[in-house]
Coordinates of all heavy atoms in Angstrom, one line a residue:
M30 N 5.0 -0.3 -2.4 CA 5.3 0.6 -1.3 C 6.4 1.6 -2.0 O 7.3 1.2 -2.6 CB 5.9 -0.1 -0.1 CG 6.3 0.9 0.9 SD 7.0 0.4 2.5 CE 8.2 -0.8 2.1
V31 N 5.9 2.9 -1.9 CA 6.8 3.9 -2.5 C 7.3 4.7 -1.4 O 6.5 5.4 -0.8 CB 6.0 4.8 -3.6 CG1 6.8 5.8 -4.1 CG2 5.5 3.9 -4.6
N32 N 8.6 4.7 -1.2 CA 9.2 5.7 -0.1 C 10.1 6.8 -0.9 O 11.3 6.6 -1.0 CB 10.1 4.9 0.9 CG 9.2 4.0 1.7 OD1 8.1 4.5 2.1 ND2 9.6 2.9 2.1
G33 N 9.3 7.6 -1.5 CA 10.1 8.4 -2.3 C 10.2 8.0 -3.9 O 10.0 6.7 -4.1
F34 N 10.4 8.9 -4.9 CA 10.3 8.4 -6.2 C 11.3 7.4 -6.6 O 11.2 6.4 -7.5 CB 10.4 9.6 -7.3 CG 11.7 10.1 -7.4 CD1 12.5 9.7 -8.4 CD2 12.2 11.2 -6.5 CE1 13.9 10.2 -8.6 CE2 13.6 11.6 -6.8 CZ 14.2 11.1 -7.8
D35 N 12.4 7.3 -5.9 CA 13.5 6.3 -6.2 C 13.6 5.0 -5.4 O 14.4 4.2 -5.5 CB 14.9 7.0 -6.2 CG 15.2 7.7 -5.0 OD1 14.3 7.8 -4.1 OD2 16.4 8.2 -4.8
N36 N 12.8 5.0 -4.5 CA 12.6 3.8 -3.5 C 11.2 3.2 -3.6 O 10.2 3.5 -2.9 CB 12.9 4.2 -2.0 CG 14.4 4.4 -1.8 OD1 15.2 3.8 -2.4 ND2 14.5 5.5 -1.0
V37 N 11.1 2.2 -4.6 CA 9.9 1.6 -4.8 C 10.0 0.0 -4.6 O 10.9 -0.5 -5.1 CB 9.4 1.8 -6.3 CG1 8.1 1.1 -6.6 CG2 9.2 3.3 -6.6
Y38 N 9.2 -0.5 -3.9 CA 9.3 -2.0 -3.6 C 7.9 -2.6 -3.6 O 6.9 -2.1 -3.5 CB 9.7 -2.1 -2.1 CG 11.1 -1.6 -1.9 CD1 11.2 -0.3 -1.3 CD2 12.3 -2.3 -2.1 CE1 12.5 0.3 -1.1 CE2 13.5 -1.7 -1.9 CZ 13.6 -0.4 -1.4 OH 14.8 0.1 -1.2
I39 N 8.0 -3.9 -4.1 CA 6.8 -4.7 -4.3 C 7.0 -6.0 -3.6 O 8.0 -6.6 -3.6 CB 6.5 -4.9 -5.9 CG1 6.3 -3.7 -6.5 CG2 5.4 -6.0 -6.0 CD1 6.2 -3.8 -8.0
E40 N 5.9 -6.5 -2.8 CA 6.0 -7.6 -2.2 C 4.9 -8.6 -2.7 O 3.8 -8.4 -3.1 CB 5.4 -7.4 -0.7 CG 5.4 -8.8 0.1 CD 4.7 -8.6 1.5 OE1 4.0 -7.6 1.8 OE2 4.8 -9.7 2.1
R41 N 5.5 -9.9 -3.0 CA 4.7 -10.9 -3.6 C 5.3 -12.2 -3.0 O 6.6 -12.5 -2.9 CB 5.1 -11.0 -5.1 CG 4.3 -9.8 -5.9 CD 3.9 -10.4 -7.2 NE 3.3 -9.1 -7.9 CZ 3.5 -8.8 -9.1 NH1 4.3 -9.4 -9.8 NH2 2.7 -7.7 -9.5
A42 N 4.3 -13.0 -2.4 CA 4.6 -14.2 -1.8 C 5.6 -14.1 -0.8 O 6.7 -14.7 -0.6 CB 5.2 -15.2 -2.8
A43 N 5.6 -13.1 0.1 CA 6.3 -12.8 1.3 C 7.8 -12.5 0.9 O 8.8 -12.6 1.7 CB 6.3 -13.9 2.3
A44 N 8.0 -11.9 -0.3 CA 9.4 -11.5 -0.7 C 9.2 -10.2 -1.4 O 8.4 -9.9 -2.1 CB 9.9 -12.6 -1.8
W45 N 10.2 -9.4 -1.0 CA 10.3 -8.0 -1.4 C 11.3 -7.8 -2.6 O 12.3 -8.4 -2.6 CB 10.8 -7.0 -0.2 CG 9.8 -6.8 0.8 CD1 9.6 -7.6 1.8 CD2 8.8 -5.8 1.0 NE1 8.7 -7.2 2.6 CE2 8.0 -6.1 2.0 CE3 8.4 -4.8 0.0 CZ2 7.0 -5.3 2.4 CZ3 7.3 -4.0 0.4 CH2 6.8 -4.3 1.6
W46 N 10.8 -7.1 -3.6 CA 11.9 -6.8 -4.7 C 11.7 -5.4 -5.3 O 10.5 -4.8 -5.1 CB 11.7 -7.9 -5.9 CG 10.2 -8.1 -6.5 CD1 9.2 -8.8 -5.9 CD2 9.9 -7.5 -7.5 NE1 8.0 -8.6 -6.7 CE2 8.4 -7.8 -7.8 CE3 10.5 -6.6 -8.6 CZ2 7.7 -7.4 -8.9 CZ3 9.8 -6.3 -9.7 CH2 8.4 -6.7 -9.7
K47 N 12.6 -4.9 -5.9 CA 12.8 -3.6 -6.3 C 12.5 -3.7 -7.9 O 13.3 -4.3 -8.5 CB 14.0 -2.9 -6.1 CG 13.9 -1.5 -6.1 CD 15.2 -0.8 -5.5 CE 15.0 0.7 -5.6 NZ 15.9 1.5 -4.9
P48 N 11.5 -3.1 -8.4 CA 11.2 -3.2 -10.0 C 12.4 -2.4 -10.7 O 12.8 -1.4 -10.2 CB 9.9 -2.6 -10.1 CG 9.6 -1.7 -8.9 CD 10.4 -2.3 -7.8
T49 N 12.6 -2.8 -11.9 CA 13.7 -2.1 -12.7 C 13.2 -0.7 -13.1 O 13.8 0.2 -13.2 CB 14.1 -3.0 -13.8 OG1 12.8 -3.2 -14.6 CG2 14.7 -4.3 -13.5
S50 N 11.9 -0.6 -13.5 CA 11.4 0.7 -13.9 C 10.5 1.2 -12.7 O 9.7 0.7 -12.0 CB 10.4 0.5 -15.0 OG 9.2 -0.3 -14.7
A51 N 10.9 2.5 -12.3 CA 10.2 3.2 -11.3 C 9.7 4.6 -11.7 O 9.8 4.8 -12.9 CB 11.1 3.4 -10.1
S52 N 9.3 5.4 -10.9 CA 8.8 6.7 -11.2 C 9.9 7.6 -11.6 O 11.0 7.5 -11.2 CB 7.9 7.3 -10.0 OG 8.7 7.2 -8.9
R53 N 9.6 8.5 -12.4 CA 10.7 9.5 -12.9 C 11.1 10.6 -11.8 O 12.1 10.8 -11.7 CB 10.0 10.3 -14.1 CG 9.7 9.3 -15.2 CD 9.3 10.1 -16.4 NE 8.0 10.8 -16.3 CZ 6.8 10.4 -16.7 NH1 6.8 9.2 -17.2 NH2 5.8 11.0 -16.4
D54 N 10.1 11.1 -11.1 CA 10.4 12.1 -10.2 C 9.2 12.3 -9.3 O 8.4 11.5 -9.2 CB 10.6 13.5 -10.8 CG 9.6 13.9 -11.7 OD1 8.5 13.4 -11.6 OD2 9.9 14.9 -12.6
Q55 N 9.5 13.2 -8.2 CA 8.4 13.2 -7.2 C 7.0 13.8 -7.7 O 5.9 13.4 -7.2 CB 8.8 14.3 -6.2 CG 9.9 13.8 -5.2 CD 10.3 14.7 -4.2 OE1 9.7 15.7 -3.9 NE2 11.4 14.3 -3.5
A56 N 7.0 14.6 -8.8 CA 5.7 15.1 -9.4 C 5.0 13.8 -10.0 O 3.8 13.8 -10.1 CB 6.1 16.1 -10.4
H57 N 5.8 12.9 -10.6 CA 5.2 11.7 -11.2 C 4.4 10.9 -10.0 O 3.3 10.5 -10.2 CB 6.2 10.8 -12.0 CG 5.7 9.8 -12.7 ND1 6.2 8.5 -12.5 CD2 4.7 9.7 -13.6 CE1 5.6 7.6 -13.3 NE2 4.7 8.3 -14.0
V58 N 5.1 10.7 -8.9 CA 4.5 9.9 -7.8 C 3.3 10.6 -7.3 O 2.2 10.1 -7.0 CB 5.5 9.7 -6.7 CG1 5.0 9.0 -5.4 CG2 6.8 9.0 -7.2
R59 N 3.4 12.0 -7.3 CA 2.2 12.7 -6.8 C 1.1 12.6 -7.7 O -0.1 12.4 -7.2 CB 2.7 14.1 -6.6 CG 1.6 15.0 -5.9 CD 1.9 16.2 -5.2 NE 0.7 17.0 -4.8 CZ 0.8 18.0 -3.9 NH1 2.1 18.3 -3.5 NH2 -0.2 18.6 -3.6
M60 N 1.3 12.6 -8.9 CA 0.3 12.5 -9.9 C -0.5 11.0 -9.7 O -1.6 10.9 -9.9 CB 0.7 12.6 -11.4 CG -0.2 12.4 -12.5 SD 0.4 12.3 -14.1 CE 1.2 10.7 -14.1
I61 N 0.4 10.1 -9.6 CA -0.1 8.6 -9.5 C -1.1 8.7 -8.2 O -2.1 8.0 -8.3 CB 1.0 7.7 -9.4 CG1 1.6 7.6 -10.8 CG2 0.4 6.4 -8.9 CD1 3.0 6.9 -10.6
I62 N -0.5 9.2 -7.1 CA -1.3 9.2 -5.9 C -2.6 10.0 -6.1 O -3.6 9.4 -5.6 CB -0.5 9.9 -4.7 CG1 0.6 9.0 -4.3 CG2 -1.3 10.2 -3.6 CD1 1.7 9.7 -3.4
E63 N -2.6 11.0 -6.7 CA -3.9 11.9 -7.0 C -4.8 11.1 -7.8 O -6.1 11.0 -7.5 CB -3.5 13.2 -7.6 CG -3.0 14.2 -6.6 CD -2.4 15.5 -7.4 OE1 -2.6 15.6 -8.6 OE2 -1.9 16.3 -6.5
R64 N -4.3 10.3 -8.8 CA -5.2 9.5 -9.7 C -5.9 8.4 -8.9 O -7.0 8.1 -9.1 CB -4.5 8.9 -10.8 CG -4.2 10.1 -11.9 CD -3.5 9.4 -13.1 NE -4.3 8.4 -13.9 CZ -3.7 7.6 -14.6 NH1 -2.5 7.7 -15.0 NH2 -4.6 6.8 -15.3
I65 N -5.2 7.7 -8.0 CA -5.7 6.7 -7.2 C -6.6 7.1 -6.2 O -7.8 6.6 -6.2 CB -4.6 5.9 -6.4 CG1 -3.6 5.2 -7.4 CG2 -5.1 5.0 -5.3 CD1 -2.4 4.6 -6.9
V66 N -6.3 8.1 -5.4 CA -7.3 8.7 -4.4 C -8.6 9.4 -5.1 O -9.8 9.4 -4.5 CB -6.6 9.5 -3.3 CG1 -5.5 8.8 -2.8 CG2 -6.1 10.8 -3.8
S67 N -8.5 10.0 -6.2 CA -9.5 10.7 -6.8 C -10.6 9.6 -7.4 O -11.8 9.9 -7.4 CB -9.1 11.6 -7.9 OG -8.6 10.9 -9.1
A68 N -10.1 8.4 -7.7 CA -11.0 7.3 -8.2 C -11.9 6.9 -7.2 O -13.1 6.3 -7.4 CB -10.0 6.2 -8.6
V69 N -11.6 7.2 -5.8 CA -12.5 6.8 -4.8 C -13.2 7.9 -4.1 O -13.7 7.8 -2.9 CB -11.9 5.8 -3.7 CG1 -11.5 4.5 -4.3 CG2 -10.5 6.5 -3.2
G70 N -13.1 9.1 -4.8 CA -13.8 10.3 -4.2 C -13.0 11.0 -3.1 O -13.6 11.8 -2.4
R71 N -11.8 10.8 -3.0 CA -10.9 11.5 -1.8 C -10.1 12.5 -2.6 O -9.8 12.4 -3.8 CB -10.1 10.4 -1.1 CG -10.9 9.4 -0.5 CD -11.8 9.9 0.6 NE -10.9 10.3 1.8 CZ -10.5 9.6 2.8 NH1 -10.8 8.4 2.9 NH2 -9.8 10.3 3.7
R72 N -9.4 13.3 -1.8 CA -8.4 14.2 -2.5 C -7.2 14.3 -1.5 O -7.3 14.0 -0.3 CB -9.0 15.7 -2.5 CG -9.3 16.3 -1.2 CD -10.0 17.7 -1.7 NE -10.2 18.3 -0.2 CZ -9.4 19.1 0.4 NH1 -8.3 19.3 0.0 NH2 -9.7 19.7 1.5
I73 N -6.2 14.7 -2.1 CA -5.0 15.0 -1.3 C -4.2 16.2 -1.8 O -4.1 16.4 -3.1 CB -4.0 13.6 -1.4 CG1 -2.7 13.9 -0.4 CG2 -3.5 13.4 -2.9 CD1 -2.0 12.5 -0.2
D74 N -4.0 17.2 -1.0 CA -3.2 18.4 -1.4 C -2.5 19.0 -0.2 O -2.4 18.3 0.9 CB -4.2 19.4 -2.0 CG -5.4 19.7 -1.0 OD1 -5.2 19.6 0.2 OD2 -6.6 20.1 -1.5
D75 N -1.9 20.2 -0.4 CA -1.2 20.7 0.8 C -2.0 21.0 2.1 O -1.4 20.9 3.1 CB -0.6 22.2 0.3 CG 0.5 21.8 -0.8 OD1 1.0 20.5 -0.8 OD2 0.8 22.8 -1.5
S76 N -3.3 21.3 1.9 CA -4.1 21.5 3.1 C -4.5 20.2 3.8 O -5.0 20.1 4.9 CB -5.4 22.3 2.8 OG -6.1 21.6 1.8
S77 N -4.5 19.1 3.0 CA -4.8 17.7 3.5 C -3.8 16.7 2.9 O -4.1 16.0 2.0 CB -6.3 17.3 3.1 OG -6.7 16.1 3.5
P78 N -2.5 16.7 3.6 CA -1.5 15.9 3.0 C -1.5 14.4 3.3 O -0.5 13.8 3.0 CB -0.2 16.7 3.6 CG -0.7 17.2 5.0 CD -2.3 17.4 4.8
I79 N -2.4 13.9 4.0 CA -2.4 12.5 4.3 C -3.8 12.0 3.9 O -4.8 12.5 4.1 CB -2.2 12.2 5.7 CG1 -1.9 10.7 5.9 CG2 -3.1 12.7 6.7 CD1 -1.3 10.3 7.2
V80 N -3.9 10.7 3.2 CA -5.0 10.1 2.8 C -5.0 8.6 3.2 O -4.0 8.0 3.0 CB -5.4 10.3 1.4 CG1 -5.9 9.0 0.8 CG2 -6.3 11.4 1.1
D81 N -6.1 8.0 3.8 CA -6.1 6.6 4.1 C -7.5 6.2 3.5 O -8.6 6.7 4.0 CB -6.0 6.4 5.6 CG -5.9 4.9 5.8 OD1 -5.5 4.1 4.8 OD2 -6.1 4.4 7.0
A82 N -7.5 5.4 2.4 CA -8.8 5.1 1.9 C -8.9 3.6 1.4 O -7.9 2.9 1.4 CB -9.0 6.0 0.7
R83 N -10.1 3.2 1.3 CA -10.5 1.9 0.7 C -10.7 1.9 -0.8 O -11.5 2.6 -1.2 CB -11.5 1.1 1.5 CG -11.8 -0.2 1.1 CD -13.1 -0.8 1.7 NE -13.0 -0.7 3.1 CZ -12.3 -1.5 4.0 NH1 -11.8 -2.5 3.5 NH2 -12.5 -1.4 5.2
L84 N -9.9 1.1 -1.5 CA -10.1 1.2 -3.0 C -11.4 0.3 -3.3 O -11.9 -0.4 -2.5 CB -9.0 0.6 -3.8 CG -7.7 1.5 -3.5 CD1 -6.4 0.8 -4.3 CD2 -7.8 2.9 -4.0
L85 N -11.8 0.3 -4.6 CA -13.1 -0.3 -5.0 C -12.9 -1.9 -4.9 O -13.8 -2.6 -4.6 CB -13.3 -0.1 -6.5 CG -13.7 1.5 -6.7 CD1 -13.9 1.7 -8.1 CD2 -14.9 2.0 -5.9
D86 N -11.7 -2.4 -5.0 CA -11.4 -3.9 -4.8 C -11.3 -4.3 -3.4 O -11.0 -5.5 -3.2 CB -10.3 -4.3 -5.7 CG -9.0 -3.9 -5.1 OD1 -9.0 -3.1 -4.2 OD2 -7.9 -4.4 -5.8
G87 N -11.3 -3.4 -2.4 CA -11.2 -3.7 -0.9 C -9.8 -3.3 -0.4 O -9.6 -3.6 0.8
S88 N -8.8 -3.2 -1.4 CA -7.4 -2.8 -0.9 C -7.5 -1.4 -0.1 O -8.5 -0.8 -0.2 CB -6.6 -2.7 -2.1 OG -6.6 -3.9 -2.9
R89 N -6.5 -1.4 0.7 CA -6.3 -0.1 1.4 C -5.1 0.6 0.9 O -4.2 0.0 0.5 CB -6.0 -0.5 2.9 CG -7.2 -1.2 3.5 CD -8.3 -0.4 3.8 NE -8.2 0.7 4.5 CZ -9.1 1.5 5.1 NH1 -10.3 1.5 4.6 NH2 -8.7 2.6 5.7
V90 N -5.3 2.0 0.8 CA -4.2 2.8 0.3 C -4.0 3.8 1.3 O -4.9 4.4 2.0 CB -4.5 3.4 -1.1 CG1 -5.8 4.2 -1.1 CG2 -3.4 4.1 -1.6
C91 N -2.7 4.2 1.5 CA -2.3 5.2 2.5 C -1.3 6.1 1.7 O -0.3 5.4 1.1 CB -1.8 4.7 3.7 SG -1.2 6.1 5.0
A92 N -1.4 7.4 1.6 CA -0.6 8.2 0.9 C -0.1 9.4 1.8 O -1.1 10.1 2.5 CB -1.0 8.6 -0.5
V93 N 1.0 9.9 1.7 CA 1.4 11.2 2.4 C 2.3 12.0 1.6 O 3.0 11.4 0.9 CB 2.1 10.7 3.7 CG1 2.5 12.0 4.5 CG2 1.5 9.8 4.6
I94 N 2.0 13.2 1.4 CA 2.8 14.2 0.6 C 3.4 15.3 1.4 O 2.9 15.5 2.7 CB 2.0 14.7 -0.5 CG1 0.8 15.5 0.0 CG2 1.5 13.6 -1.5 CD1 0.0 16.3 -1.0
P95 N 4.4 15.9 1.0 CA 5.0 17.1 1.6 C 3.8 18.2 1.9 O 2.9 18.1 1.1 CB 6.0 17.6 0.7 CG 6.4 16.5 0.0 CD 5.1 15.6 -0.3
P96 N 3.9 18.8 3.0 CA 5.0 19.0 3.9 C 5.0 18.0 5.1 O 5.9 18.0 5.8 CB 4.6 20.5 4.4 CG 3.2 20.6 4.5 CD 2.8 19.9 3.1
L97 N 4.0 17.1 5.2 CA 4.0 16.2 6.2 C 5.1 15.1 6.1 O 5.6 14.6 6.9 CB 2.7 15.5 6.2 CG 2.2 14.8 7.5 CD1 2.4 15.7 8.8 CD2 0.9 14.3 7.3
S98 N 5.3 14.8 4.7 CA 6.4 13.8 4.4 C 7.6 14.5 4.0 O 7.6 15.3 3.2 CB 6.1 12.9 3.2 OG 7.1 12.0 2.8
L99 N 8.7 14.1 4.7 CA 10.0 14.9 4.5 C 10.9 14.5 3.3 O 11.7 15.1 2.8 CB 10.9 15.0 5.7 CG 10.2 15.6 7.0 CD1 11.2 15.4 8.2 CD2 9.9 17.0 6.7
I100 N 10.4 13.2 2.9 CA 11.3 12.5 1.7 C 10.4 12.6 0.4 O 11.0 12.0 -0.6 CB 11.6 11.1 2.1 CG1 10.4 10.3 2.3 CG2 12.5 11.1 3.2 CD1 10.5 8.7 2.3
G101 N 9.5 13.3 0.3 CA 8.7 13.4 -0.9 C 7.4 12.6 -0.8 O 7.2 12.0 0.4
P102 N 6.6 12.5 -1.8 CA 5.3 11.6 -1.8 C 5.7 10.1 -1.4 O 6.6 9.6 -2.0 CB 4.7 11.7 -3.2 CG 5.5 12.8 -3.8 CD 6.7 13.0 -3.2
V103 N 4.8 9.6 -0.5 CA 5.0 8.1 -0.1 C 3.6 7.4 -0.3 O 2.6 8.0 -0.1 CB 5.6 7.9 1.3 CG1 7.0 8.4 1.4 CG2 4.7 8.6 2.3
L104 N 3.8 6.3 -0.6 CA 2.4 5.5 -1.0 C 2.5 4.0 -0.5 O 3.6 3.4 -0.7 CB 2.2 5.5 -2.5 CG 1.1 4.7 -3.1 CD1 -0.4 5.2 -2.6 CD2 1.1 4.6 -4.6
S105 N 1.4 3.5 0.0 CA 1.3 2.2 0.5 C 0.1 1.6 0.0 O -1.0 2.1 0.4 CB 1.6 2.0 1.9 OG 1.5 0.6 2.4
I106 N 0.1 0.5 -0.6 CA -1.2 -0.2 -1.0 C -1.1 -1.7 -0.4 O -0.2 -2.4 -0.8 CB -1.4 -0.2 -2.5 CG1 -1.4 1.2 -3.1 CG2 -2.7 -1.1 -2.9 CD1 -1.5 1.2 -4.7
R107 N -2.1 -1.9 0.4 CA -2.3 -3.3 1.0 C -3.5 -4.0 0.3 O -4.5 -3.7 0.4 CB -2.5 -3.1 2.5 CG -1.4 -2.5 3.2 CD -1.6 -2.1 4.6 NE -2.9 -1.3 5.0 CZ -3.0 -0.1 4.8 NH1 -2.0 0.6 4.3 NH2 -4.0 0.6 5.2
R108 N -3.1 -5.1 -0.3 CA -4.1 -5.9 -1.0 C -4.3 -7.1 0.0 O -3.4 -7.6 0.6 CB -3.6 -6.4 -2.3 CG -3.5 -5.2 -3.3 CD -3.3 -5.6 -4.7 NE -4.4 -6.3 -5.1 CZ -4.4 -7.1 -6.2 NH1 -3.4 -7.3 -6.9 NH2 -5.6 -7.7 -6.5
Y109 N -5.3 -7.6 -0.1 CA -5.8 -8.7 0.8 C -6.2 -10.0 -0.2 O -6.4 -9.8 -1.4 CB -7.1 -8.5 1.7 CG -6.8 -7.5 2.6 CD1 -7.4 -6.1 2.3 CD2 -5.9 -7.5 3.6 CE1 -7.1 -5.0 3.1 CE2 -5.7 -6.5 4.5 CZ -6.3 -5.3 4.2 OH -6.0 -4.2 5.0
G110 N -5.9 -11.1 0.3 CA -6.2 -12.4 -0.5 C -7.6 -12.5 -0.8 O -8.5 -12.0 -0.2
K111 N -7.9 -13.1 -1.9 CA -9.2 -13.5 -2.4 C -10.1 -14.5 -1.5 O -11.1 -14.5 -1.5 CB -9.3 -13.7 -4.0 CG -8.9 -12.6 -4.7 CD -8.9 -13.0 -6.2 CE -8.3 -11.8 -7.0 NZ -8.1 -12.1 -8.3
K112 N -9.3 -15.3 -0.9 CA -9.8 -16.4 -0.2 C -9.7 -16.2 1.3 O -8.6 -15.8 1.8 CB -9.0 -17.8 -0.5 CG -9.7 -19.0 -0.2 CD -9.0 -20.2 -0.8 CE -8.0 -20.6 0.0 NZ -7.5 -21.9 -0.5
V113 N -10.8 -16.2 1.9 CA -10.9 -15.9 3.4 C -10.4 -17.2 4.1 O -11.0 -18.2 3.9 CB -12.3 -15.4 3.8 CG1 -12.3 -15.3 5.3 CG2 -12.7 -14.2 3.1
L114 N -9.5 -17.0 5.0 CA -9.0 -18.1 5.8 C -9.8 -18.2 7.1 O -10.0 -17.4 7.8 CB -7.5 -18.0 6.2 CG -6.6 -17.9 5.0 CD1 -5.1 -17.5 5.5 CD2 -6.6 -19.1 4.2
S115 N -10.1 -19.5 7.4 CA -10.8 -19.7 8.7 C -9.8 -20.0 9.8 O -8.7 -20.2 9.6 CB -11.7 -21.0 8.6 OG -10.9 -22.1 8.4
T116 N -10.3 -19.9 11.1 CA -9.4 -20.1 12.1 C -8.7 -21.6 12.0 O -7.7 -21.8 12.3 CB -10.1 -19.9 13.5 OG1 -10.7 -18.7 13.5 CG2 -9.3 -20.1 14.6
R117 N -9.6 -22.6 11.7 CA -9.1 -23.9 11.6 C -8.1 -23.9 10.6 O -7.1 -24.7 10.8 CB -10.4 -24.8 11.2 CG -9.9 -26.3 11.2 CD -11.2 -27.1 10.9 NE -12.2 -26.9 11.9 CZ -12.4 -27.5 13.1 NH1 -11.3 -28.2 13.5 NH2 -13.2 -27.3 13.9
T118 N -8.2 -23.4 9.3 CA -7.1 -23.4 8.4 C -5.9 -22.8 8.9 O -4.8 -23.3 8.6 CB -7.7 -22.7 7.1 OG1 -8.9 -23.3 6.7 CG2 -6.7 -23.0 6.0
C119 N -6.1 -21.6 9.4 CA -4.9 -20.8 10.0 C -4.0 -21.8 11.0 O -2.8 -21.9 11.0 CB -5.2 -19.5 10.5 SG -5.6 -18.4 9.3
C120 N -4.7 -22.3 11.9 CA -4.0 -23.0 13.0 C -3.5 -24.4 12.5 O -2.5 -24.8 13.0 CB -5.0 -23.4 14.2 SG -5.4 -21.9 15.0
A121 N -4.1 -24.8 11.5 CA -3.6 -26.2 10.8 C -2.3 -26.1 10.0 O -1.6 -26.9 9.8 CB -4.7 -26.8 10.0
T122 N -2.3 -25.0 9.4 CA -1.1 -24.7 8.5 C 0.0 -23.8 9.0 O 1.1 -23.9 8.4 CB -1.7 -24.0 7.2 OG1 -2.3 -22.7 7.5 CG2 -2.6 -24.8 6.4
R123 N -0.2 -23.2 10.1 CA 0.9 -22.4 10.5 C 1.3 -22.9 12.1 O 0.4 -23.3 12.8 CB 0.5 -20.9 10.8 CG 0.2 -20.3 9.3 CD -0.1 -19.0 9.4 NE -0.1 -18.3 8.1 CZ -1.2 -18.1 7.3 NH1 -2.2 -18.5 7.7 NH2 -1.0 -17.5 6.1
P124 N 2.5 -22.7 12.4 CA 2.8 -23.0 13.8 C 2.1 -22.1 14.7 O 2.1 -20.9 14.5 CB 4.4 -22.8 13.9 CG 4.8 -22.7 12.4 CD 3.7 -22.3 11.7
S125 N 1.6 -22.6 15.8 CA 0.8 -21.8 16.7 C 1.0 -22.5 18.2 O 1.4 -23.5 18.3 CB -0.6 -21.9 16.4 OG -1.1 -23.2 16.4
P126 N 0.8 -21.5 19.2 CA 0.9 -22.1 20.6 C -0.1 -22.9 20.8 O -1.1 -23.0 20.1 CB 0.7 -20.6 21.2 CG 0.1 -19.7 20.4 CD 0.5 -20.2 19.0
P127 N 0.1 -23.9 21.8 CA -0.9 -24.9 22.2 C -2.3 -24.2 22.5 O -3.3 -24.9 22.3 CB -0.4 -25.5 23.4 CG 1.1 -25.1 23.3 CD 1.4 -23.9 22.7
A128 N -2.4 -23.1 22.9 CA -3.7 -22.4 23.2 C -4.5 -22.3 22.1 O -5.8 -22.2 22.0 CB -3.5 -21.1 24.0
C129 N -3.9 -22.3 20.8 CA -4.7 -22.1 19.6 C -5.2 -23.4 19.0 O -6.0 -23.4 18.0 CB -3.7 -21.4 18.6 SG -4.6 -21.0 17.0
S130 N -4.8 -24.5 19.5 CA -5.2 -25.8 19.0 C -6.8 -26.0 19.1 O -7.6 -25.5 20.0 CB -4.7 -27.0 19.9 OG -5.1 -26.9 21.1
I131 N -7.3 -26.5 18.0 CA -8.8 -26.8 17.8 C -9.0 -28.1 17.8 O -8.3 -29.0 17.0 CB -9.2 -26.1 16.6 CG1 -9.1 -24.6 16.6 CG2 -10.6 -26.4 16.2 CD1 -9.4 -24.0 15.3
S132 N -10.0 -28.6 18.6 CA -10.2 -30.0 18.6 C -11.3 -30.5 17.6 O -12.0 -29.8 17.2 CB -10.8 -30.5 20.0 OG -9.9 -30.1 20.9

């Protein structure tokens, strides 16, 4: 997740951390966003400052640039697990209300 060029966060295993190396400036973040969205045939510019797209691996990307974003370019990439969880697996491994119990 990129909230401006100096606020970059990565989530792994339900923990957030801030990488030591981040982007240089707002132009660098915008260039990265343009490369990501152009790879899936989308565009982002001043006339269309928001993009929500599916990447080739199934991940979702959402990007917003000025003038819609007041803090500079922002980016969020949501990746999904490779293994699909069944209802039975979810209810067995996570605390759930009694209504979720499976016989």
Side-chain angles (χ1 to χ4, degrees):
M30 177 172 58
V31 179
N32 289 327
F34 77 93
D35 55 348
N36 287 323
V37 179
Y38 298 96
I39 297 174
E40 178 192 6
R41 287 203 180 141
W45 290 89
W46 58 278
K47 194 169 185 169
T49 55
S50 62
S52 53
R53 296 184 296 262
D54 55 17
Q55 291 187 7
H57 186 230
V58 175
R59 185 158 174 169
M60 180 193 65
I61 292 168
I62 291 171
E63 288 173 358
R64 287 181 63 191
I65 290 171
V66 300
S67 67
V69 291
R71 304 290 297 270
R72 69 180 179 90
I73 190 166
D74 55 27
D75 293 338
S76 66
S77 179
I79 187 168
V80 142
D81 190 18
R83 183 181 308 274
L84 299 178
L85 298 176
D86 68 349
S88 300
R89 301 288 300 180
V90 62
C91 180
V93 183
I94 61 170
L97 200 54
S98 170
L99 301 177
I100 61 170
V103 295
L104 171 70
S105 173
I106 300 175
R107 298 174 305 282
R108 295 191 63 196
Y109 300 104
K111 294 179 182 174
K112 200 163 88 173
V113 177
L114 298 176
S115 67
T116 306
R117 184 176 303 278
T118 305
C119 286
C120 288
T122 59
R123 293 186 174 89
S125 58
C129 184
S130 64
I131 297 176
S132 302

